[in-house]
Amino acid sequence: MNKAVQRRQLLIALLFLGPNLLGFLVFTLGPILISLAGSFTTWSLRPSVPLRFIGIQNYIDLFTDPNFYFYFYNTIYLLLAMPISIGGSLALAVFLSQKLELRGPRAAARLSLISAIITAVVCSVLFLAGSGSIALVLLALGLITCVGLYFGSIGYRTFYYLPHFTAGAGTILLWMQLYNPNFGLINQVLGQLGIPGPGWLTSTKSLLGFLPLPEHFNNGGFGLGAREAIMIMGIWASIGGNNMVLYLAGISNIPPELYEASDIDGANGWQRFRYITFPQLMPTTFFIVVMGIIGGLQGGFETARLMTEGGPAGTTTTLSYYIYTQGFERLDLGYGAAVAWVLFIIIMVVTLINWRYGNRETAD
Amino acid sequence: MEFRTLLKHIGLILIAITMTVPFLWMLGTSIKPHHEVEELSLVPRHPQPENYAIVLRQKPDPYTGKYLDLNFPKWYFNSIFIASWVTILQVLTSSMAAYAFSRLHWPGRDKVFLLYLGTMMIPGMVTMLPNYQIMVGLKFVNTYQGLIIPAAFSAFGTFLLRQFMLGIPRSYDEAAEIDGANHLQTFLDVILPMARPGLIALSIFTFLGNFQSFFWPLVMVKDDAMRTIPIGLLSFQGQYGQQTELIMAATVMNVIPLIILFVVMQKQLISGIQLGGVKG
């Protein structure tokens, strides 16, 4: 190929790539290099601190900083919600992809019409009788029943996906109110059942509180605390989210012959799941786990900032929130950058281990 | 068999209720008068829909007699304005770059693409601190430019659309070339229309991600007039944290447009997730 043609091709490519490449260099690649270099300096937002090269001092400080280990522990602890959340997504996807149609083409429509009428009547009676709350719950129940019976799996999927789609500052504030120890919905319902509600966001307890953790981990003993509150909210928001949708796609790609063969062999539901569905979904699971760990290790920032300010006693401070407070509250960008790079190395190592181990598993 | 199907429906309905009850509580609390907030009920005895007017500053707060000190309508505008611009710019730059990576041949193409992919693994926290300093240098702090421009380029979007465009058969552009189309015409008239599902999915991800974006606005915004909804909710919480009913009214107004967006775009969104694997 001659030079002139090559140059022309490069020019055309640059015209298409130009805007994106410029942004990429200025806002991604450039900052990555600056932050790497900055982590070896006294880089600060305080004008009084001169910029000096200090070698690996920030990294030495970091590894001798007891808080770093505490916040790393918190980050890992919050990740423990992941198996529950992923397992739940898988279970929902399995149930949603089973046969949900009722016999006869018009049975679903008829049933959902009947439940609509029953709901309307019962709700109006209750509402007039003054039990508005129960009426509202029944109304929701009736509505979901109609949608579920009529639309089947797509109908349910809409309800399950909503918490994920709306997740953000709004739903975090919503849960903050639900967790209020005095008048929050959760503790009030527990109180009605005669169960004393935990302190949730004000409590340093944790389910691993029985372990002999170091003094500065501010261990409040065994129980439900702020970290569990964040985990429960996270499971609520993610169980019917993207992971469930990916599993649904994965299940619909499993060749039906496999199930037909197992029917001939007389397999029951659990055996079909254990020997066909689960192994066939291994690549999907692998992808979800890898992405979940990468995201989880970087997580916990919004909840810490909005709900708990990293507290109580630092128990909900994760590494990403620590980086933020070092950079924007203590104005020590160099140290913050060093923590960010250590976080990156942790993510890389975990991902590589996953890759090694996971690929072997999926190759079976 | 029929009985078991019904049983499955009952289980699925109960889970759907669990997912919905927090939203119902939010809706109910948002129209409660202040003294009813602490009661265990989903429906107020004396509904007070004026809470919405108070949050929107159409009415004064009955307890202080003053209008709220926070400009919620402006936050709403800011969020939609910023998220819309980021979406337009990101889809534009990403689709052009994706064309260069999937359809053009040029020296070093695959190396540059690998570099893009590699940076996707690096946590956002790494680039956030230098990006802030760049914004200070450009005097973009607390401006729309500062909130829009850094978000307008995306390695993820480029990756998503490149994968999508690779799936469009070559014969289409070859036909266009025979008809004498240049690259710009091929891009606009052949590739973009065929990549429509990918473009729509990326648009939803980007809009949603930026409408809800918390981290970057938190460091960029310095005064109330530039706040977006998530950052505004944070200051709302700080200033009127005791007035649960007002916070819930604000939250409802944050969440309702998203619910509508989801119900309308559900089909495109779900296929987009299955296509790209992740939400932006």
Side-chain angles (χ1 to χ4, degrees):
Chain A
M1 210 186 288
N2 78 44
K3 273 256 154 66
V5 174
Q6 257 195 8
R7 203 170 306 147
R8 198 182 130 71
Q9 282 179 332
L10 194 61
L11 188 76
I12 294 173
L14 269 181
L15 285 177
F16 276 98
L17 193 58
N20 195 292
L21 190 64
L22 186 72
F24 176 74
L25 293 176
V26 175
F27 298 114
T28 305
L29 196 58
I32 288 173
L33 300 176
I34 296 173
S35 126
L36 186 59
S39 71
F40 297 104
T41 67
T42 58
W43 188 23
S44 169
L45 281 175
R46 265 186 294 256
S48 61
V49 179
L51 189 66
R52 268 188 315 116
F53 178 77
I54 51 168
I56 56 167
Q57 189 59 47
N58 281 328
Y59 291 91
I60 295 173
D61 290 351
L62 187 158
F63 284 115
T64 51
D65 173 1
N67 280 334
F68 173 76
Y69 297 99
F70 178 30
Y71 302 149
F72 184 51
Y73 167 80
N74 290 339
T75 312
I76 300 291
Y77 185 74
L78 292 178
L79 262 182
L80 295 180
M82 214 179 75
I84 303 171
S85 152
I86 294 178
S89 301
L90 176 59
L92 287 183
V94 167
F95 280 106
L96 282 186
S97 54
Q98 287 179 357
K99 185 183 153 295
L100 289 173
E101 298 89 42
L102 297 157
R103 196 180 327 132
R106 256 168 284 143
R110 218 177 297 141
L111 252 172
S112 87
L113 187 69
I114 293 170
S115 54
I117 294 167
I118 294 174
T119 309
V121 173
V122 173
C123 284
S124 350
V125 170
L126 275 172
F127 201 80
L128 292 175
S131 340
S133 300
I134 299 167
L136 190 69
V137 171
L138 282 180
L139 186 68
L141 190 76
L143 197 76
I144 291 169
T145 309
C146 296
V147 171
L149 287 174
Y150 193 74
F151 292 100
S153 117
I154 293 174
Y156 292 117
R157 194 185 64 190
T158 308
F159 291 108
Y160 299 167
Y161 196 80
L162 263 181
H164 177 75
F165 195 77
T166 56
T171 47
I172 290 176
L173 291 189
L174 164 61
W175 276 82
M176 225 178 133
Q177 303 297 337
L178 296 181
Y179 279 131
N180 187 301
N182 303 320
F183 62 83
L185 180 67
I186 294 171
N187 275 8
Q188 279 198 340
V189 170
L190 288 177
Q192 293 282 316
L193 300 172
I195 304 166
W200 296 119
L201 296 171
T202 56
S203 161
T204 57
K205 286 183 180 162
S206 80
L207 290 178
L208 288 182
F210 61 87
L211 292 176
L213 295 167
E215 181 76 22
H216 65 277
F217 279 25
N218 299 325
N219 181 9
F222 176 79
L224 295 172
R227 281 169 288 201
E228 283 72 25
I230 289 174
M231 289 158 91
I232 292 169
M233 178 181 78
I235 292 170
W236 174 79
S238 66
I239 198 166
N242 288 342
N243 294 343
M244 185 191 77
V245 173
L246 289 174
Y247 272 131
L248 280 169
I251 291 171
S252 69
N253 284 336
I254 298 175
E257 302 89 73
L258 293 178
Y259 291 113
E260 285 158 18
S262 78
D263 282 343
I264 295 169
D265 292 343
N268 64 27
W270 166 251
Q271 285 168 330
R272 281 152 54 108
F273 174 76
R274 173 68 188 81
Y275 297 107
I276 300 173
T277 315
F278 190 70
Q280 287 286 319
L281 288 175
M282 230 22 214
T284 312
T285 305
F286 175 62
F287 174 81
I288 289 174
V289 169
V290 170
M291 296 308 284
I293 292 177
I294 293 177
L297 285 170
Q298 299 179 50
F301 175 77
E302 288 193 18
T303 42
R305 185 72 188 80
L306 276 156
M307 265 183 155
T308 60
E309 298 186 1
T315 49
T316 59
T317 302
T318 60
L319 285 180
S320 69
Y321 187 62
Y322 189 47
I323 296 168
Y324 168 82
T325 54
Q326 290 302 309
F328 288 99
E329 286 173 14
R330 290 198 46 221
L331 308 180
D332 194 350
L333 297 186
Y335 190 75
V339 181
W341 278 100
V342 170
L343 176 61
F344 169 63
I345 289 164
I346 295 169
I347 291 172
M348 275 303 283
V349 170
V350 174
T351 308
L352 286 177
I353 293 171
N354 259 323
W355 208 260
R356 269 271 160 85
Y357 176 74
N359 270 349
R360 197 176 35 190
E361 284 283 295
T362 47
D364 282 352
Chain B
M1 207 58 205
E2 196 73 350
F3 178 69
R4 285 186 60 174
T5 311
L6 265 176
L7 234 119
K8 273 178 210 156
H9 275 282
I10 291 171
L12 291 167
I13 288 166
L14 287 180
I15 298 168
I17 278 282
T18 319
M19 303 309 242
T20 323
V21 161
F23 290 114
L24 291 179
W25 188 85
M26 169 180 83
L27 213 58
T29 307
S30 75
I31 51 168
K32 276 184 180 178
H34 187 65
H35 60 265
E36 275 189 44
V37 168
E38 307 203 354
E39 291 171 15
L40 174 61
S41 65
L42 291 172
V43 181
R45 279 178 286 121
H46 309 284
Q48 184 180 294
E50 296 92 71
N51 288 343
Y52 287 89
I54 297 168
V55 172
L56 292 169
R57 296 177 101 197
Q58 303 303 309
K59 273 192 178 168
D61 180 358
Y63 302 98
T64 58
K66 285 190 214 138
Y67 287 92
L68 295 196
D69 193 19
L70 299 164
N71 201 341
F72 192 87
K74 184 72 192 294
W75 306 343
Y76 225 108
F77 169 79
N78 286 345
S79 276
I80 291 173
F81 181 78
I82 292 165
S84 306
W85 269 109
V86 170
T87 306
I88 293 167
L89 291 173
Q90 203 183 103
V91 170
L92 186 74
T93 60
S94 298
S95 60
M96 283 166 65
Y99 184 77
F101 281 126
S102 67
R103 281 302 196 265
L104 301 173
H105 298 272
W106 41 284
R109 179 182 78 172
D110 294 337
K111 286 191 190 106
V112 176
F113 186 67
L114 266 181
L115 193 65
Y116 265 66
L117 274 190
T119 60
M120 278 169 60
M121 304 255 294
I122 295 181
M125 291 286 163
V126 168
T127 53
M128 180 257 318
L129 303 170
N131 262 331
Y132 179 75
Q133 291 251 290
I134 292 172
M135 291 296 114
V136 173
L138 290 170
K139 296 204 163 38
F140 275 1
V141 176
N142 203 31
T143 63
Y144 286 124
Q145 298 92 296
L147 287 161
I148 293 168
I149 292 175
F153 314 94
S154 148
F156 168 75
T158 309
F159 173 66
L160 182 80
L161 292 181
R162 172 191 178 262
Q163 298 310 99
F164 204 89
M165 287 181 188
L166 284 179
I168 301 171
R170 282 269 169 193
S171 48
Y172 286 92
D173 2 348
E174 279 157 14
E177 210 178 314
I178 291 166
D179 290 345
N182 61 29
H183 278 296
L184 186 64
Q185 287 165 328
T186 311
F187 173 64
L188 290 176
D189 299 337
V190 180
I191 300 294
L192 279 191
M194 298 212 51
R196 230 178 92 116
L199 297 174
I200 292 174
L202 179 64
S203 304
I204 304 173
F205 295 152
T206 311
F207 187 87
L208 178 66
N210 283 281
F211 188 79
Q212 295 284 62
S213 165
F214 183 70
F215 193 68
W216 186 243
L218 183 68
V219 298
M220 285 306 284
V221 169
K222 302 290 174 197
D223 64 49
D224 190 61
M226 288 304 299
R227 282 189 184 129
T228 56
I229 293 178
I231 305 306
L233 286 176
L234 176 67
S235 46
F236 208 126
Q237 170 75 22
Q239 246 174 298
Y240 300 95
Q242 302 305 315
Q243 278 168 280
T244 305
E245 69 285 5
L246 297 187
I247 293 186
M248 285 303 109
T251 305
V252 169
M253 286 190 275
N254 171 218
V255 167
I256 292 285
L258 297 177
I259 294 181
I260 294 169
L261 180 71
F262 175 63
V263 172
V264 173
M265 303 299 275
Q266 172 165 203
K267 212 172 133 203
Q268 286 89 333
L269 184 91
I270 300 288
S271 62
I273 297 161
Q274 294 172 348
L275 174 96
V278 269
K279 184 173 86 164

